[in-house]
Amino acid sequence: MKLNYHHLYYFWQVAKSGHLTRTAEALHVSQSSLSHQIRQLEERLGQALFVRAGRRLELSEAGRLAFDYADTIFRQGEELTALFTEGGHAHREVVRVGAVATLSRNFQEGFLRPLLERNDLELSLHSSSLDDLLRRLSAHQLDVVLANQALQGNDQHPWRSRRLARQSVSMIGAAHLAPCFPDGLRQHGLIVPGPDNATRHAFDQLCEYHRLSVNIVAEVDDMAMMRLLTRDTHHIAIMPPVVVRDELGAGTLKDFGALPGVFEEFYAITIRRQFESPSVQALLNQSADTLLAAAQR
């Protein structure tokens, strides 16, 4: 039996609104008729397309995949009209990536570069807290989350964490400061990641091991802000060199050496899916050397 595109259109409209009653009113059909046609589509596909969350209908994993196809079909119909009236553009695949706000922008750019070089694909990039990004991942609103910590999955939250790369963390500062380890950590004010950052935990353990009493002048979660503070002050920052790639290249900042045993790790967090995106899989299969080299460009 062929797919009934009338049913698919009704599903598409409900998926966009998240409300059966509201969509029925907008389409001038009864709620029972709308519900029946969506059930027929589910029976045809052999998959449940929605899960109920309070008064809203949220897409299941199969529903998210079906929505992407439906969105392509009906958007292309709209673009066909636009093509002959005002000039349209071809629909492209959408890959949705979330990144925690503390993650290096340069690393993100290097990771995403293969997508940016494709004309047949659109990248949707979201920056937020890890909790918010994981909520969106669970709702199939994101394909992958980039983070600097791994997560242990369970039956309720089937996370899958893949370590993409690991890089050393250095003492970074103005060239004239010239600190050395470990005395340089005692003699200068330090800009460090926030207390919840995995790199900060490793740095604190390093100080404890060497019995270092340090002067922390700023705890900064946002790497872009840490970069600005390091550039515009005479303090030493504890950060991966990739964060200040351009400043190191220009000579405005200097890398005074990696801290022993302190690393930043980059993880891709996904959930177990029945339907995997080939574009996302290609991203995840990049080698660590490739990713770090791309971030240093």
Side-chain angles (χ1 to χ4, degrees), residues 9 88 96-97 102 104 113 148 160 189 197 228 262 278-280:
Y9 178 76
R96 306 168 185 85
V97 178
T102 59
S104 163
R113 184 167 285 124
N148 42 25
R160 294 193 298 186
N197 190 290
L228 291 176
V262 182
S279 298
V280 173

Side-chain angles (χ1 to χ4, degrees), residues 218-290:
E219 295 179 328
V220 184
D221 279 329
D222 185 270
M223 289 292 105
M225 178 57 70
M226 180 177 279
R227 168 178 166 268
L228 291 176
L229 292 177
T230 308
R231 187 190 66 187
D232 297 338
T233 69
H234 299 291
H235 301 307
I236 297 295
I238 306 303
M239 67 166 67
V242 68
V243 175
V244 288
R245 174 193 63 193
D246 296 340
E247 287 78 7
L248 293 175
T252 54
L253 293 175
K254 185 174 180 180
D255 182 347
F256 297 108
L259 295 172
V262 182
F263 300 93
E264 179 177 30
E265 296 183 319
F266 301 99
Y267 289 90
I269 302 172
T270 57
I271 57 175
R272 290 191 291 273
R273 295 180 184 271
Q274 184 178 355
F275 310 102
E276 299 284 358
S277 163
S279 298
V280 173
Q281 284 302 308
L283 281 181
L284 299 181
N285 289 335
Q286 297 178 87
S287 70
D289 290 342
T290 298

